[in-house]
Amino acid sequence: MTDSNTIERTFPELTVIESDDLRAGVRKAWVTAMEDNGIDDLESLPWFPPAQRTLNLPDERLVPHVRDVTQGAIALAEVFIDRGYDISMETVIAGALVHDVSKLYEFDGMNETEIGRLIGHPHYGVHVVSQAGLPVEIAHIVLSHTSRTTVDPATIEAEIVRRADETAASAIRAAHEI
C-alpha cells in the first residue's frame, strides 16, 4: 500500500499548497492511481509511450515531466501575480501535479491499456481527480491541458498549466533532436 508521504517525497511542490483539502486531494489522486494499477515506483513510469516510441526516447520518465510542468507553471504564474493579476497559485500547483495522473491507467509500462485506447488522455484523468475529491477547476485543468481534447482552457490557471506542459514536452523533444 502506498502512503501519502511517498507522494510528497516524489512531488515536493505539493508541500507549497496551503489548503489541506487540496493537498489531500492531490495525494489521494496519485495514491489511488498507484494502488489501482499495482504501481510501487512512480519514478520508473515512462513519460508518454506513443511519443517515446516515435522519437526513440525510451528513458524519458513521467515524474520529471510532471515536476517540470509544475515548476514551469509556478514560474509563469509568479510573473503575472507580480504584475497584479488574480491567479490562484494553489490551483496552478494542484492542477499541474495531477495533469497526467491518468497515464497510470492509460499505459502498462510502454503498452497502451484499454483505458488508454478507448477513453484516452486526459479524459480519464477527470474521473481520477473527481473521485479524489478535487474541485472542478482542477478537473478542467486536466481536461484542457492538451490539444488532444476539444476543450480549451477557460481559466488563467488552466492556460498556465497547458503552456507549461507544451513547453516541457517541447523541451523533451528538442533535447533529443539530432
Side-chain angles (χ1 to χ4, degrees):
M1 181 181 224
T2 305
D3 69 31
S4 299
N5 292 329
T6 299
I7 306 306
E8 289 195 8
R9 282 190 303 275
T10 303
F11 302 115
E13 298 83 4
L14 182 60
T15 62
V16 176
I17 298 174
E18 293 180 16
S19 165
D20 292 338
D21 291 341
L22 201 54
R23 199 171 50 255
V26 170
R27 276 195 305 261
K28 184 176 180 183
W30 281 104
V31 167
T32 300
M34 290 176 71
E35 289 175 353
D36 285 354
N37 294 287
I39 294 168
D40 295 324
D41 180 15
L42 278 176
E43 302 282 346
S44 69
L45 299 177
W47 159 60
F48 188 52
Q52 288 178 252
R53 277 190 294 277
T54 300
L55 301 170
N56 193 25
L57 305 175
D59 297 329
E60 288 299 329
R61 298 286 172 247
L62 180 61
V63 168
H65 170 72
V66 171
R67 293 202 60 217
D68 288 348
V69 171
T70 303
Q71 292 169 22
I74 289 169
L76 189 55
E78 285 175 343
V79 168
F80 293 106
I81 289 170
D82 287 349
R83 291 203 46 223
Y85 290 94
D86 184 21
I87 296 171
S88 169
M89 185 63 84
E90 293 201 341
T91 299
V92 168
I93 295 169
L97 285 171
V98 297
H99 82 280
D100 274 347
V101 70
S102 65
K103 287 184 180 176
L104 279 65
Y105 296 87
E106 296 169 39
F107 302 100
D108 182 4
M110 291 294 283
N111 300 312
E112 190 171 39
T113 67
E114 287 298 294
I115 288 174
R117 188 176 72 76
L118 297 174
I119 297 174
H121 180 74
H123 299 93
Y124 201 77
V126 171
H127 167 73
V128 175
V129 300
S130 296
Q131 290 297 110
L134 288 164
V136 69
E137 294 84 3
I138 304 303
H140 173 69
I141 289 172
V142 170
L143 187 59
S144 66
H145 85 270
T146 175
S147 61
R148 291 184 174 92
T149 73
T150 59
V151 178
D152 290 326
T155 66
I156 188 62
E157 293 84 1
E159 187 70 39
I160 287 169
V161 173
R162 182 174 186 155
R163 299 304 172 187
D165 182 54
E166 291 171 345
T167 303
S170 292
I172 289 170
R173 289 178 179 95
H176 293 87
E177 288 180 354
I178 297 174

